[in-house]
């Protein structure tokens, strides 16, 4: 397989490297891909390579427990070094792949910006996404920060001690999580959201409104339909000191945290000539348009895996659960099997004492059912399409979440009329539809 | 050093030494013990870190909070009296814990 390309590659490197699968991007998707491949008995060499200087770690805590200082960085590490060694996986940190030469059979050589060359027989792109940047005036001031990776989180933590006022730009999941964490740490936090509601289209109207009211009642200053005109330093300084809004209002801010979404890292795929459209376009088996490269996780634009979804509909999901399930699909592909995406997409977001769990995808719903238990602080919205439950947003309501997730996984239904009574356990009214 | 003995549904045993303060889930995942998925990394959102605790060890563990209790109703393999979510179990000095992992977590 690919001997011609391999010989060329070997000639170009000074240190002969074991060749096999090269996974570019050592995070949630890349780690799961390597782990799943070994579990399936894949016995070729694996190089798991990433540009960050840290051992692969879990991102979700960066805006939550890690920011608040309630977990140690060591807890975020996916696997021990011994695990990688025992499983014949070469973990390469701190190497950014700038260019790839690839043969028609799928083999080739990846060139790092350091000059290092990594030959491969097969390629996996698990390069994820990067924070979308804001080009507002003053966005290059010190203290104007983003939160996508561990270095971002460390930079934020380093500034938090000296800050009293923080302006968070973007009322999406990451913005709200970070805002809640910073508020809990005693900061005076204002959230600016450009749109008319929180969390964009990831949740329905009722959930967005619930979060708005819940955060405001906990003292978080949230301003909808609001954007920053410029970030300004104190006289003669290089650090941000204030945010000026379009209406002239000036908010003091020693930290501006921007969370306005992410952009998939498609540079390498584009250079390889793979189909790219809001991510690397892959088929149901995580294969890119060349038929050999797999692309997984935040970077992949895939056919909607949910049973019953519109034929031809495509989605790019940004979640831990998707990274894991999609990596499993890719692992099967790389071992010559064809297995479709299993399981129902789910997501979580923890903000202050609000524990949101989402089961399924609410795209295309035509009916919602609200379940509210004010006394116990529970709130759920079930989404229906033509009478069939397709998703649920559940706040502090794990029983509802679990009932909907399990029903969806088994192709069952939870009739809307019966679901409306919050005293009824959803599990008890689930029917085979 | 605290030690956790993981027995899988087929009866295979893995003994793993852990660090005081780490959770049983972290100890398992970092060392690649199969049978613990732990999608949410310990934030009590996924219920894929379910274990059955050997009866004589149950009393060594902290009592469970409401959220863990509710999450346990949604595990892939039904809960039993000795069910816990392993991300909520912290290793203490000299702890010797015997747990069995369920046949499936998802
Ligand atoms: C702060 C934060 C909180 C989150 N909270 C949640 C949550 O509560 N629940 C949830 O489900 N999801 C959450 N997520 C989303 C989740 O973390 C992502 O969906 C997941 O990390 C995607 O994994 P991935 O491996 O596909 O991509 P990424 O995690 O983006 O990893 C891609 C890796 O590839 C590297 N890379 C890119 N290009 C190159 C190159 N050319 N050469 C070498 N390396 C390269 C990147 O540096 C990165 O390390 C959160 C994300 C963030 C940032
Ligand atoms: S790891 Fe998710 S609930 Fe324990």
């Amino acid at each position: 397989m690919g001997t011609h390309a391999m010989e060329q590659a070997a000639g170009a490197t000074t240190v002969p490297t074991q060749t096999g699968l090269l996974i570019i991007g050592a995070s949630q998707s890349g780690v799961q891909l390597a782990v799943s491949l070994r579990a399936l008995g894949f016995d070729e060499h694996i190089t798991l390579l990433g540009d960050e200087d840290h051992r692969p770690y879990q991102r979700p805590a960066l805006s939550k427990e890690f920011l608040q200082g309630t977990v140690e960085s060591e807890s975020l590490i996916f696997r021990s070094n011994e695990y990688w060694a025992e499983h014949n996986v070469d973990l390469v940190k701190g190497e950014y792949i700038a260019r790839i030469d690839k043969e028609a059979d799928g083999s080739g050589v990846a060139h790092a910006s350091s000059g290092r060359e990594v030959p491969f027989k097969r390629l996996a792109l698990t390069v994820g996404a990067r924070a979308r940047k804001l080009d507002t005036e003053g966005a290059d001031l010190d203290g104007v920060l983003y939160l996508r990776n561990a270095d971002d989180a460390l930079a934020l933590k380093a500034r938090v001690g000296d800050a009293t006022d923080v302006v968070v730009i973007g009322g999406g999941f990451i913005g709200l999580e970070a805002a809640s964490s910073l508020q809990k740490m005693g900061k005076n936090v204002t959230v600016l959201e450009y749109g008319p509601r929180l969390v964009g289209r990831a949740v329905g109207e009722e959930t967005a409104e619930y979060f708005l009211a819940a955060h405001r009642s906990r003292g978080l200053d949230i301003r909808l339909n609001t954007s920053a005109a410029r970030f300004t330093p104190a006289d003669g300084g290089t650090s941000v000191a204030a945010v000026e809004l379009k209406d002239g209002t000036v908010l003091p801010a020693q930290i501006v945290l921007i969370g306005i979404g992410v952009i998939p890292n498609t540079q390498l795929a584009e250079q390889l000539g793979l189909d790219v459209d809001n991510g690397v376009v892959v088929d149901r088996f995580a294969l890119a348009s060349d038929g050999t490269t797999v692309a997984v996780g935040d970077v992949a634009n895939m056919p909607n895996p949910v049973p019953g979804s519109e034929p031809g509909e495509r989605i790019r999901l940004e979640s831990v659960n998707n990274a894991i399930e999609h990596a499993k699909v890719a692992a099967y592909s790389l071992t010559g099997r064809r297995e479709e995406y299993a399981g129902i997409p789910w997501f979580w977001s923890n903000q202050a004492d609000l524990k949101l769990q989402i089961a399924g995808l609410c795209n295309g719903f035509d009916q919602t059912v609200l379940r509210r238990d004010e006394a116990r602080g529970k709130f759920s919205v079930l989404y229906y399409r033509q009478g069939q439950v397709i998703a649920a947003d559940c706040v502090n309501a794990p029983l509802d979440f679990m009932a909907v997730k399990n029903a969806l996984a088994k192709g069952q239904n939870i009739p809307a009329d019966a679901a409306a009574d919050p005293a009824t356990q959803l599990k008890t009214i689930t029917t085979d539809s | 050093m605290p030690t956790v003995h993981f027995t899988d549904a087929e009866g295979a045993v893995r003994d793993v030494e852990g660090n005081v303060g780490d959770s049983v889930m972290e100890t398992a995942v970092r060392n690649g013990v199969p049978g613990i998925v732990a999608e949410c990394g310990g934030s009590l959102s996924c219920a894929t870190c379910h274990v059955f605790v050997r009866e004589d060890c149950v009393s060594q563990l902290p009592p469970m909070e409401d959220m863990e209790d509710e999450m346990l109703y949604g595990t892939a393999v039904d809960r039993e009296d000795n069910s816990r979510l392993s991300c909520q179990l912290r290793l203490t000095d000299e702890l010797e814990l015997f747990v069995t992992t369920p046949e499936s977590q998802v």
Side-chain angles (χ1 to χ4, degrees), chain A residues 25 27 29 51-52 59 64 97 127-128 148 298 319-320 348:
Chain A
S27 180
S29 305
D51 60 347
E52 297 187 62
R59 280 164 214 269
K64 314 177 188 87
I97 299 300
V127 286
R148 177 67 193 177
D298 277 23
S319 71
V320 165
W348 84 95

Side-chain angles (χ1 to χ4, degrees), chain A residues 7-144:
Chain A
E7 276 155 22
Q8 278 188 337
T13 37
T14 40
V15 189
T17 321
Q18 259 187 290
T19 312
L21 174 69
L22 171 61
I23 304 176
I24 304 178
S27 180
Q28 193 84 50
S29 305
V31 165
Q32 185 64 46
L33 181 58
V35 168
S36 295
L37 280 167
R38 287 297 181 241
L40 289 173
F42 181 81
D43 57 5
E44 292 194 43
H45 186 262
I46 297 176
T47 303
L48 175 59
L49 175 149
D51 60 347
E52 297 187 62
D53 283 321
H54 308 277
R55 284 168 293 154
Y57 59 88
Q58 308 171 53
R59 280 164 214 269
L62 299 181
S63 49
K64 314 177 188 87
E65 299 89 342
F66 183 69
L67 179 54
Q68 290 169 33
T70 57
V71 299
E72 299 291 323
S73 52
E74 199 57 33
S75 296
L76 307 186
I77 302 301
F78 281 112
R79 291 286 189 280
S80 64
N81 288 338
E82 294 74 39
Y83 174 90
W84 296 122
E86 276 166 24
H87 290 79
N88 191 23
V89 175
D90 255 348
L91 183 62
V92 179
K93 293 179 292 183
E95 293 282 3
Y96 180 80
I97 299 300
R99 186 170 60 83
I100 299 171
D101 295 327
K102 197 165 66 64
E103 304 290 317
D105 66 359
S107 70
V109 186
H111 303 266
S113 46
S114 66
R116 181 167 174 172
E117 296 185 346
V118 189
F120 58 85
K121 287 190 204 155
R122 192 94 187 247
L123 188 63
L125 294 175
T126 53
V127 286
R130 62 186 181 279
R132 181 185 296 278
K133 298 277 153 98
L134 199 64
D135 59 5
T136 304
E137 184 186 332
D140 52 354
L141 289 168
D142 293 340
V144 177

